[in-house]
Amino acid sequence: TLKLATLVPQNSSWFRILQEMGTEWEKASGGRVKVVFYPGGRMGDDNDVIRKMRLGQLQGAVLASPGLAEIDRSVYALSIPLAFESTDEVYRVLDRLRPGLERTFESKGFVVLNWADGGWVRFFARRPVAGPEDLKAQKFFQWQGDTHTLEIWKTAGFNTVPAPAPELTTGLQTGLLDAFLTSPQVVLIMRYFEKAPHMTDLRWAMIMAGTVVRKDAWEKVPADVRPALLKAAQDAAGRLRRDMAASEATDIEALKRAGLKVVPVDARARTRWEDMLRGAHGKIRGAYVSAQAYDEAMAIRDELRKGGRR
Amino acid sequence: MSAIRSLLRNAVGGVLVLSFALLMALPLVDAAGRSLGGLHLPGSADLVQAVTLWLTFAGGLAATSAREHLTLSTAGWIGQGRAGRAARALASALSAGVAAMLAYASWNVVMANRAEGHILEMGIPAWTLDLMMPLALGAMALVFAWRAGDGWMARAAGFLAIPAAFLPGLLPGGPSIAYGLAALAGLSLLAGTPVFVAMAGVALCLFFAQGSPVAAVPAEIYRLVASPTLPAIPLLAGAGYVLAESGASARLVRCFRAWVGFLPGGMALMAASVCAVFTSFTGGSGVTIVALGGLLLPMLLQDGQEEGFSLGLVTASGSLGLLLPPSLPVILYAIVAGGRDQAVPPDRLYLAGLVPGLLLLVLTGAYGILKSRKRARTPFEGREALAATWAAKWELLLPVLIIVLFASGRTTMLETAAGALAYTIAAECFITRDIHPLRQLPGVLLKASALMGAVLILLSVAMGLTSWLVDAMIPDAILAWTTAHVHSKLVFLLALNLILLVLGSVLEIYSAIVVLAPIVAPLGATFGIHPVHLGVIFLANLELGFLLPPVGLNLFLASSRFGTPLPRLYRHVLPFLAILGIGLLLITYVPGLSLMLPRLLGKG
Ligand code: NA
Ligand code: NA
């Protein structure tokens, strides 16, 4: 039996795809592999889930970037702010990084079966944010769990307010918080747009997701069925990627209908964001993501871009 | 021996007072630093988490040595004879074994945290701070073993229980006898085993029988204690304790009697309201009783209410306010139950819960008025009212401070709680001077932390047991069975009430929401129940579940706070349960109570 936990909500198209993957695993193994999913954070957040995997209560999990980063921060190489132009570019860099990334995870005791994403995060704010100076004038929510990221924003001169995740709702209400980074889907579901009706038209960073299984549990799966399981996992990832890509546009449309205003970012404002990031470069490369993974990802990106122009 | 014991006791006491001080200071520095422009303690959130863990486990150890852990008071029935001694020896030995097993299991959790490799500021590895968990649990095992009896024979048996606890893990038939052991752990409650030990024993055995690592139990304990919302609880409870130990209750009684003494039951309504406000802040974890019980019960008694009624009122009021802002369970429900096609926005859920939440509060207060209508009233006198208000001004300012700090968006919930404790200490130690800051305050904080330790350990072990139910998917099975057999909306709602009440009393509240809400929400949709109304029903049921005998959390907490035997408490709570039950039915079958207000405000 493989017990897999995830934060993905039970009643979502994402979870339906994961369940299909589970069914295919059971079918492909002729019933030798049983899959049980614990969706919607039943086993706790990503930190708890990883602890339970390490203890052996769970065999696997579908984790997003913050969770994957708890195993190894090199995964944030794919979420370097403003480093990638498109979803496609992220995945092309991922394809090249994968062997190394997966080796790193394996050395920490986990096998990565597939890679998908949770979409792009953007700034949402009470008052319009075009450049960094607009964000500095507002109280900026940071999840208190990631000290590295928090310190980067703080040092760059932003008015960050570290808080637990659920306090974003009350904080927007009381005025403790004005701005935050998240995906349009979350804003739509939580109706944050009522208090923070301005979305910055800037794809800040992409959140990755992946299915990981304890190495020993994976090796207990009969060797002859492993390829079929792997294939089912990869197919599921393909469906997840398509689902996510399609929902981004519909979610933004729905938000606009509900009164969300999209704040354009002109070339000058974009340069100011890039300048700000350059100022924090010493910490992003090193603390946010390891220097080696950072350099590798950027080298691959530059190489791919050059190849594209040729 | 006694020298070592007093040395250890002082060390634990020192850790507890230091933890309290840090827990109060860190958020305050953050809050002040932010308004002064960007000053910030790096890694302060991590440190707050670690200190909360210390408070829980060092507090639990202090509670063990002071015998403050909740037990069923049935052990008295066994008597003092040979059988009684044997039963007590058995209970102590079993407690020693369970505590030892928990210590071992939590050691594994600490090692898993070590593998995470998280480094705090100044290069301290985070896992070293977590060592408090196995250390304190190991010390508890030794204390329990020592207590197995007075003679060396009994003590030897007690210490033997520690290695014996690990035997099932070595035997081939271990897992199958674990079910028997789980039953034994449950039954040992009757012989006086602390409730937290019995619950932990049952949970450990069940995970073991299922073939899962026993570390699953402390992993869940760790999860609760390290959750970002927990640190506010000991802070607010500490404030409640300081108030209870000072002359505040006499001043507040005088003030309320002067203002509402002409109104029968005014004090009861006031007590219920204060509990509701407090619960809305602590997120309905049942800690209201522990924090405010020591203040409110004497106030009610001084006001001349009968003891049974007062006990019932304080116990029942302990979860009122679960539906009122800024209660976190409401937000959690909104997050968990909402989806792209069916949104349950938190602000709407708060609006919808306002009338039902106040209804439950008013029903409780109305019962208080009914019970006290024959009592002598104090006529209203303007001068006395003003004088009494003036005398209690420092205490009356506390809720004002809390609301202003939080509602103005100046502080987070945790910072507000830290501010409340700091203010209370300042007021009672330096302004009214009821408590001497050096001679008395540490003692008060120690007493508070022993009881908080007992409560937090109980809460977290309940999480461990909940976690087994979740792992084994028991709630899913119950809901699936019900929906297979229910076909009308009316019956569905009734079944929903019953199931949520029972599961709500068994499960820890946040787990109950996370597990049940995603299943209940689509079911409600198929029966055509408005998603926001369903959320209100759901949370109102959990609110009542806290009171449901035999295992509703409020009953346990009230029993341990007031030293009242559980059966007596059941009796006193019953009338409140009946009245709130009527309220629950109204909320369930009259959707307008929930949906009218949002519609009037154009947010339907
Ligand atoms: Na759980
Ligand atoms: Na409960």
Side-chain angles (χ1 to χ4, degrees), chain A residues 3 9-11 13 36-45 47-48 50-52 54-58 70 139 144-145 147-148 150-151 154 159-167 169-170 173-177 185 188-192 194 243 247 250-251, chain B residues 34 38 40-43 45-46 108-109 112-113 115-116 118 207 210 212-213 215-216 219-220 222-223 228 326 328 331 334-335 338-340 343 345-348 350 406-414 467 470-473 476 514-515 518-519 522 603:
Chain A
K3 291 179 176 174
Q10 187 161 3
N11 305 310
S13 54
V36 182
F37 275 108
Y38 297 93
R42 287 175 175 218
M43 286 287 175
D45 63 23
N47 290 353
D48 302 311
I50 291 166
R51 191 174 305 114
K52 287 175 179 181
R54 289 206 166 108
L55 293 169
Q57 184 188 354
L58 294 169
E70 284 290 330
K139 285 177 271 182
Q144 67 178 22
T147 335
H148 294 296
L150 175 66
E151 295 308 324
K154 195 108 221 171
N159 188 5
T160 53
V161 181
E167 223 173 312
T169 304
T170 46
Q173 206 76 33
T174 63
L176 176 72
L177 304 163
Q185 189 178 349
L188 185 62
I189 291 174
M190 294 300 291
R191 299 184 83 83
Y192 289 145
E194 289 175 352
D243 184 72
S247 77
T250 31
D251 287 339
Chain B
R34 199 170 51 241
H40 161 73
L41 292 178
D46 294 324
N108 289 337
V109 171
N113 288 347
E116 218 162 88
H118 190 42
F207 270 114
Q210 169 196 297
S212 292
E220 203 66 15
Y222 186 85
R223 175 181 159 201
L328 280 178
I331 297 177
I335 295 175
R340 206 177 305 173
D347 58 331
R348 231 148 282 187
Y350 275 135
F406 181 76
S408 66
R410 278 192 184 81
T411 52
T412 66
M413 254 184 236
L414 177 63
S467 163
V470 170
D471 192 294
M473 303 230 203
D476 306 64
V514 165
V515 173
I519 314 175
K603 289 192 159 194

